[in-house]
Amino acid sequence: MADLNNSSWSETDSSNTQPAPSGFPSGILPSQVGGVVRAMMGAIKRAYNHGNSMVSSTGSANAYVLTYEQPLQAGYVKGEVFRFFAHATNTGASTLNINGAGTRAILRADGSQLAGGEVVIGQVVTVVCDGVNFLAQNVISKDFKANVSIVKENDAILTIEDTGVASTSYRRKQIFSTKNDGASGNNWLFRQVRPSDGAIEDFTLKGGTGGVVWTTGNFNPALKADLAGATFTGIVSVRNTGAQGSASLNSGSADRTGYIAFSDKDNVRHGYIGWSDGGNILFQAEKGDFNFAGGTPRINNNPIWHSGNFNPDSKASLNGAVRFASTTLGTGEGTVYSDTGANNIVLRSGPGNAYKYLSFSDAGLLTNFSGGFLAETDVRAKGRVIVGEGAGSSWIEMRDTDEGTRFVHNNSGNIGFLGSDGGWKFHVRDDGTLWSAQMGDINTRIEDRANAWSASRRDEANANTAANYVNKTNGSTQIMTGDLEIKKFDPAINFRRSDNGNFERIVLDSGSSILFQDGSGNNNFSFQQGGALWTRQLGDLNTRIEDRSSAWARQESVARANERVAKTGDTMTGDLTITKTYPQVRMLYPGVRDMQVQVREDGNFYLWDTTGGTWQMRVDTGGGVVARGPLYAGNGSATFNTNGDVYGPAFGNKWLSTRLAEIDGNANNRVSKGGDTMTGDITINKANPSYHFYYGGVYSSRLWVGNDAVFRYSHNEGDGDQFRISPGGAVWTKQLGDLNTRIEDRSYAWAQTRQQNLGFWPVEQGGGAYMGGNKIRIGWDGPANAARLQVDDLQLERILTRNWINPIIDIRLAYAGDLTNDWNVNGGNYSEPYAGAVLTSRNTQNVGGITYWVGGRWRYLQKQDSYGNWYTVGYA
């Protein structure tokens, strides 16, 4: 059983050649076509039911359950669509379980959980499996359940946000854009804030792109440097007083970026960040060390491993050679190890008092020391499959859940089949001897039946008087009271003259025609299949009659158009058609004989003797000719008698029964039909040679070889072949068909049953490079909305995905602007010219031997995520 999502089904028609019923291979048996068609109908129907609203869900309000007639053949498949009628309205986060394949979350398209009321009772719900969960395609809700963003090129350029839930708590409602720097706190456009004291909410409007609305009361442009083209030409330092440490932004060089320096109160630099050569940004401690004091050092919220929380020597190197004496898996006694001094791998399972072992040696042999191998799918081998290596006998066991277990067995020079009771049913010895449970040794059976028949015929000939046989030396006419049956290809009766050797013969050829031939093999007269008569002189009599009648009718039609057949006697040149029940032509010789030619209700043609009150000759609808008296051939030299005997020159002008009696009298050097013993071989050298077995009145069968070189055992009562062995060794039986195909089909069906009961497709664990035999568990942590990984008893936390952590892959200092020192003259504060920017270089001038700082360059610190988006780092 397979579905349309089965990986073995291909969009390419010619590739769907898997074994039936999952595919349609070349040479498929007629008996398998129905299974393939039924499998296709089932797959189409299941796909239709899944993709259309054919079922309603059950379960609770938030735990929806779907139940189809058949289980999911491949489990949950990414991209598969399911539709159903919801039986209840959800109240929050919801799940779906289909046919017990596992509970999965129903999520919005963005991967977030559903809110209450997004699935309504009676609604047609459409979900798509994303490989892990189900994504709802038609969530219906009257309200937005979260922030609403307008997104372009993976960037939320406009967002409507509501940060709070209770009207009495601190709550911010705003419209903002993350197009410039991605920080929602610095780029809002319209904001309403409820303070924590519950005061009336006020709305604030920002002007520009990410800045407050400046007025002449809070801003003097003359004190600012232009963003475009302004440059700080000197070092920009941050220091409260001269007796405190400072941080400064310093310019770079021709091949280096600027850097942030950290100095003490004496202007002695302790370290810096920056000075990048285009490849790395330096974090350099020049006095002491970089120390993360308090908390856990992290990168992008991920803890950093260090000597305080991690010892590399306690772990195995992935790229190194690691040796374990043995590895015990799980909480039981399952162990993987290698024997001392050997290059093998041994798997041990079971409890201590009943271990089971499976070994893979350095010679490439896989050995199971106990138990066996069970394949849930096909077992294929490009080389030979050797059974019974090192054993005194070998077995191939074939199990059938509805017909029992049978075996192919090799032992004591025999190979053959064992029945469900374990006994031999058929075997072949090394010398070719055939034996079956029904007949015993087949050659002996043939010999015994031939001897028995020969003995019975010899005893019958000796016991009966000559009156029961036709004497070939008796010149008088004799009559056989029984039938004469000749069973062979092209059976014939020859009539030969003893004086000159000339003969005529009657032959039944392969076309079921009765031929009368002369001594040169020329056909002179024949009864052909269908009742047609043919002569050498005239050809087909019906055609001859038709041709002559037609020619005569065409010639005389005008002259004799008004003529009728005279009752006193006349000649007809056309056909006479009688259409009625029992049509007949009567010939009456008054006082002598009354004869009729008629067709009766059985459709047969009769020569009817009205005087005797019965028919004398009959031509059946199949063309057979039956006579109550003898049939004479030629000039009467050959006779078919009503008792089945045949007389003619072919038998020395004797009856055939007489000739057979004479032959029986000289049968001592022949195999007796009643039973006999042969000291030589029997060789049948002809087309389609065969042995026939007749059980009079019960059954008949034969062993034979056809022109295709296939050895057959057939029944002669219309049942056809019962058993075949092809030249290539293929075995076929009427019950099972091709044995190899039968084994493959049953194995495949068994494997499909096992897979169906398993409920999911297994994944191979271990066996790869650097892989141990540990037990690996992967599961879904619903509350954390993430997958977790565990190796044996070691929990390895959650499995991180890019769409969850979005790691930082690059950092840069982007140009903000250049300003002179006049931008904040007399400002009386520490106003910053560019929010979030740092001073990276300064511009100085030397006047009268004194160097003055006249300006500086400002840059933003930016980071880039794995999607290529850049974000500006703001102040904390």
Side-chain angles (χ1 to χ4, degrees):
M1 181 184 294
D3 280 333
L4 298 182
N5 58 27
N6 191 295
S7 60
S8 65
W9 285 32
S10 174
E11 294 182 1
T12 303
D13 297 346
S14 59
S15 298
N16 291 303
T17 57
Q18 296 77 23
S22 293
F24 208 107
S26 300
I28 187 172
L29 295 176
S31 61
Q32 295 175 316
V33 174
V36 174
V37 175
R38 287 189 292 272
M40 293 173 63
M41 293 176 65
I44 294 171
K45 181 60 176 176
R46 289 189 294 275
Y48 178 87
N49 288 347
H50 294 172
N52 293 275
S53 306
M54 306 306 296
V55 298
S56 296
S57 61
T58 59
S60 63
N62 296 328
Y64 297 89
V65 176
L66 295 184
T67 303
Y68 295 100
E69 292 181 3
Q70 296 294 329
L72 303 182
Q73 302 302 311
Y76 296 136
V77 178
K78 184 176 182 179
E80 190 165 14
V81 178
F82 296 90
R83 290 187 175 92
F84 61 95
F85 288 98
H87 74 286
T89 300
N90 76 315
T91 61
S94 302
T95 61
L96 177 61
N97 190 341
I98 303 177
N99 277 78
T103 300
R104 300 290 188 268
I106 303 177
L107 305 176
R108 299 189 184 97
D110 61 358
S112 60
Q113 296 285 351
L114 298 183
E118 292 190 310
V119 175
V120 180
I121 184 171
Q123 170 191 348
V124 175
V125 179
T126 301
V127 295
V128 179
C129 180
D130 66 356
V132 178
N133 296 306
F134 293 103
L135 301 181
Q137 302 300 298
N138 56 345
V139 172
I140 297 177
S141 177
K142 62 182 180 180
D143 299 319
F144 291 109
K145 302 302 178 181
N147 302 335
V148 178
S149 297
I150 300 175
V151 179
K152 181 179 181 181
E153 299 176 352
N154 295 324
D155 193 355
I157 60 175
L158 188 64
T159 299
I160 301 175
E161 179 190 65
D162 187 346
T163 62
V165 294
S167 60
T168 57
S169 64
Y170 180 86
R171 188 170 188 174
R172 182 177 68 245
K173 302 175 184 178
Q174 60 182 359
I175 301 176
F176 64 92
S177 169
T178 60
K179 184 63 178 176
N180 293 326
D181 57 15
S184 61
N186 295 325
N187 54 8
W188 56 269
L189 305 176
F190 185 88
R191 173 178 291 179
Q192 175 193 29
V193 178
R194 176 183 292 277
S196 58
D197 59 0
I200 298 176
E201 297 148 325
D202 294 323
F203 290 89
T204 303
L205 176 66
K206 272 193 177 181
T209 56
V212 298
V213 178
W214 299 109
T215 67
T216 56
N218 59 10
F219 178 68
N220 182 5
L223 301 178
K224 303 293 184 180
D226 294 333
L227 289 176
T231 302
F232 292 95
T233 58
I235 298 175
V236 178
S237 298
V238 179
R239 184 195 303 267
N240 285 336
T241 64
Q244 295 180 349
S246 65
S248 62
L249 294 177
N250 298 267
S251 62
S253 63
D255 56 354
R256 292 279 185 169
T257 67
Y259 59 92
I260 302 174
F262 307 96
S263 304
D264 58 19
K265 64 183 181 61
D266 298 322
N267 287 328
V268 176
R269 193 172 68 186
H270 287 213
Y272 59 89
I273 299 175
W275 199 242
S276 171
D277 58 359
N280 299 302
I281 296 177
L282 302 181
F283 285 72
Q284 180 67 45
E286 297 174 307
K287 294 187 67 176
D289 300 316
F290 275 105
N291 182 31
F292 295 89
T296 301
R298 297 174 182 270
I299 296 179
N300 197 29
N301 204 32
N302 296 309
I304 299 175
W305 298 114
H306 55 84
S307 59
N309 59 12
F310 176 69
N311 181 10
D313 295 335
S314 65
K315 303 296 180 181
S317 175
L318 291 177
N319 298 320
V322 181
R323 294 183 180 272
F324 298 94
S326 65
T327 302
T328 301
L329 308 178
T331 58
E333 298 186 45
T335 302
V336 180
Y337 67 92
S338 178
D339 291 327
T340 303
N343 296 319
N344 64 342
I345 298 175
V346 181
L347 301 178
R348 186 189 74 191
S349 65
N353 57 352
Y355 285 141
K356 303 295 188 296
Y357 296 90
L358 178 67
S359 173
F360 186 65
S361 70
D362 54 2
L365 295 178
L366 184 65
T367 306
N368 190 350
F369 293 97
S370 52
F373 292 97
L374 175 62
E376 295 289 351
T377 58
D378 296 344
V379 177
R380 302 178 183 274
K382 289 188 176 180
R384 295 182 296 173
V385 177
I386 301 175
V387 181
E389 177 77 18
S393 62
S394 57
W395 310 70
I396 298 177
E397 182 175 340
M398 290 170 282
R399 298 180 179 178
D400 194 326
T401 57
D402 56 348
E403 298 176 356
T405 301
R406 291 167 179 81
F407 309 86
V408 177
H409 183 43
N410 175 30
N411 194 17
S412 303
N414 297 318
I415 183 169
F417 304 97
L418 305 183
S420 58
D421 58 358
W424 286 107
K425 302 304 177 186
F426 180 84
H427 64 67
V428 181
R429 294 191 60 82
D430 292 340
D431 59 3
T433 302
L434 298 175
W435 179 93
S436 74
Q438 178 189 24
M439 295 184 289
D441 180 76
I442 294 179
N443 184 64
T444 302
R445 175 70 172 176
I446 295 171
E447 294 292 331
D448 291 346
R449 294 304 300 153
N451 292 337
W453 182 257
S454 177
S456 66
R457 294 297 293 151
R458 183 174 63 249
D459 294 342
E460 182 181 354
N462 294 334
N464 294 333
T465 64
N468 293 324
Y469 299 92
V470 177
N471 191 340
K472 71 177 182 178
T473 62
N474 191 341
S476 62
T477 301
Q478 298 189 29
I479 299 175
M480 292 180 64
T481 59
D483 296 330
L484 173 63
E485 182 177 354
I486 303 175
K487 291 185 175 181
K488 63 182 291 292
F489 292 99
D490 297 335
I493 300 175
N494 297 326
F495 304 89
R496 186 182 299 276
R497 291 185 60 84
S498 60
D499 54 350
N500 56 17
N502 293 334
F503 73 92
E504 301 283 332
R505 63 196 309 248
I506 301 175
V507 182
L508 177 64
D509 67 4
S510 60
S512 300
S513 298
I514 300 177
L515 310 177
F516 291 80
Q517 300 177 339
D518 59 20
S520 300
N522 299 315
N523 294 333
N524 295 323
F525 181 83
S526 68
F527 294 100
Q528 297 181 359
Q529 189 176 22
L533 299 178
W534 179 91
T535 71
R536 186 176 182 184
Q537 177 188 17
L538 302 176
D540 180 75
L541 286 182
N542 182 66
T543 302
R544 177 66 173 175
I545 292 171
E546 291 291 330
D547 292 346
R548 295 303 303 152
S549 299
S550 176
W552 181 258
R554 287 193 300 270
Q555 179 181 351
E556 300 293 333
S557 60
V558 177
R560 301 180 63 86
N562 298 320
E563 295 181 358
R564 298 292 185 269
V565 177
K567 293 183 179 181
T568 58
D570 209 334
T571 301
M572 291 182 64
T573 59
D575 297 329
L576 175 63
T577 301
I578 303 175
T579 303
K580 60 185 291 290
T581 58
Y582 292 97
Q584 62 184 12
V585 176
R586 184 177 183 183
M587 290 164 282
L588 174 63
Y589 196 144
V592 179
R593 198 168 189 182
D594 188 0
M595 300 293 292
Q596 298 179 9
V597 178
Q598 64 178 221
V599 177
R600 299 183 67 84
E601 68 274 9
D602 56 5
N604 296 327
F605 180 86
Y606 290 85
L607 177 61
W608 193 271
D609 186 352
T610 306
T611 303
T614 186
W615 57 272
Q616 299 299 327
M617 181 175 288
R618 183 182 75 222
V619 180
D620 297 333
T621 56
V625 179
V626 182
R628 287 189 177 278
L631 290 176
Y632 298 91
N635 57 4
S637 60
T639 303
F640 287 90
N641 206 351
T642 56
N643 64 359
D645 210 351
V646 182
Y647 176 89
F651 307 112
N653 288 325
K654 297 180 180 180
W655 290 99
L656 179 60
S657 58
T658 302
R659 181 59 177 162
L660 292 177
E662 294 173 354
I663 294 174
D664 285 346
N666 296 315
N668 291 333
N669 293 326
R670 299 290 186 268
V671 176
S672 173
K673 293 184 178 180
D676 211 337
T677 301
M678 291 183 61
T679 58
D681 299 327
I682 294 179
T683 300
I684 304 176
N685 188 2
K686 62 182 292 293
N688 302 317
S690 64
Y691 280 106
H692 291 252
F693 305 93
Y694 293 92
Y695 192 146
V698 180
Y699 211 64
S700 65
S701 58
R702 61 174 175 156
L703 295 172
W704 62 289
V705 178
N707 55 14
D708 55 1
V710 175
F711 178 79
R712 292 176 165 86
Y713 169 64
S714 305
H715 291 168
N716 296 330
E717 277 71 25
D719 290 344
D721 292 350
Q722 306 296 311
F723 181 85
R724 302 189 199 125
I725 301 178
S726 300
V731 179
W732 176 94
T733 72
K734 186 174 183 179
Q735 176 190 21
L736 303 176
D738 181 75
L739 285 184
N740 182 65
T741 301
R742 174 69 172 177
I743 294 171
E744 292 289 330
D745 290 347
R746 293 304 302 154
S747 299
Y748 180 81
W750 180 260
Q752 289 294 94
T753 302
R754 298 298 89 196
Q755 181 60 56
Q756 176 178 329
N757 293 340
L758 187 60
F760 62 90
W761 289 100
V763 177
E764 182 177 356
Q765 178 174 308
Y770 309 110
M771 294 184 182
N774 307 73
K775 180 180 291 185
I776 300 175
R777 296 180 174 88
I778 298 177
W780 184 254
D781 184 347
N785 195 29
R788 285 187 177 273
L789 176 65
Q790 179 174 330
V791 179
D792 295 334
D793 296 329
L794 178 61
Q795 297 186 16
L796 297 179
E797 288 294 338
R798 291 169 291 184
I799 300 176
L800 304 183
T801 59
R802 190 178 78 163
N803 64 349
W804 183 24
I805 63 172
N806 193 9
I808 298 302
I809 63 172
D810 199 359
I811 298 175
R812 69 183 182 185
L813 286 174
Y815 175 75
D818 297 329
L819 296 176
T820 66
N821 286 349
D822 297 331
W823 75 274
N824 196 26
V825 173
N826 300 323
N829 55 47
Y830 292 97
S831 178
E832 297 172 328
Y834 305 104
V838 295
L839 185 65
T840 58
S841 67
R842 64 177 181 174
N843 183 15
T844 61
Q845 291 182 0
N846 189 289
V847 179
I850 300 175
T851 300
Y852 294 92
W853 182 12
V854 296
R857 174 164 293 177
W858 296 78
R859 290 183 180 272
Y860 295 111
L861 179 61
Q862 293 183 334
K863 59 181 182 179
Q864 185 183 40
D865 64 13
S866 60
Y867 293 99
N869 300 314
W870 286 95
Y871 301 94
T872 300
V873 178
Y875 288 151

